[in-house]
């Protein structure tokens, strides 16, 4: 199996783009506190989406269907509840 030239070009452009974004946003950080707190400039809705995304991590997305398939349908409600009703 060989990688095609177009696929390789897409991967290289993606890596260069991610690196460029990192270099651009790095310049706005003065210290470690800015790194972890983002200068306290993020809006509340962005933080809410970040929390929900963290709660429904890749492990949950992959593990929930596997548990449901094995017969334990009770854990399936966690993904649905977190997606629809986040009352934290």
């Amino acid at each position: 199996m060989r990688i095609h030239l177009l696929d390789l070009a897409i991967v290289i452009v993606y890596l260069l783009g991610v690196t460029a974004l990192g270099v651009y946003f790095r310049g706005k950080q003065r210290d470690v506190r800015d790194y972890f707190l983002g200068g306290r400039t993020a809006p509340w809705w962005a933080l809410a989406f970040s929390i929900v995304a963290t709660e429904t991590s890749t492990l949950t997305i992959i593990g929930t269907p596997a548990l449901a398939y094995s017969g334990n349908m009770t854990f399936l409600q966690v993904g649905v509840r977190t997606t629809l009703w986040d009352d934290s």
Side-chain angles (χ1 to χ4, degrees), residues 2-79:
R2 300 181 62 202
I3 188 166
H4 295 281
L5 188 58
L6 178 62
D7 296 329
L8 183 61
I10 290 171
V11 170
I12 289 172
V13 168
Y14 171 77
L15 291 175
L16 290 173
V18 168
T19 303
L21 280 173
V23 169
Y24 173 75
F25 286 110
R26 177 197 62 179
K28 296 182 180 184
Q29 297 173 359
R30 294 183 309 260
D31 56 13
V32 175
R33 186 175 199 146
D34 277 345
Y35 175 78
F36 285 108
L37 298 177
R40 296 187 188 267
T41 59
W44 67 267
W45 54 266
L47 297 175
F49 281 127
S50 176
I51 291 169
V52 171
T54 302
E55 287 178 350
T56 55
S57 67
T58 304
L59 187 58
T60 302
I61 291 171
I62 292 172
T64 301
L67 285 171
Y69 181 76
S70 70
N72 186 1
M73 297 294 274
T74 57
F75 192 68
L76 192 57
Q77 61 85 23
V78 172

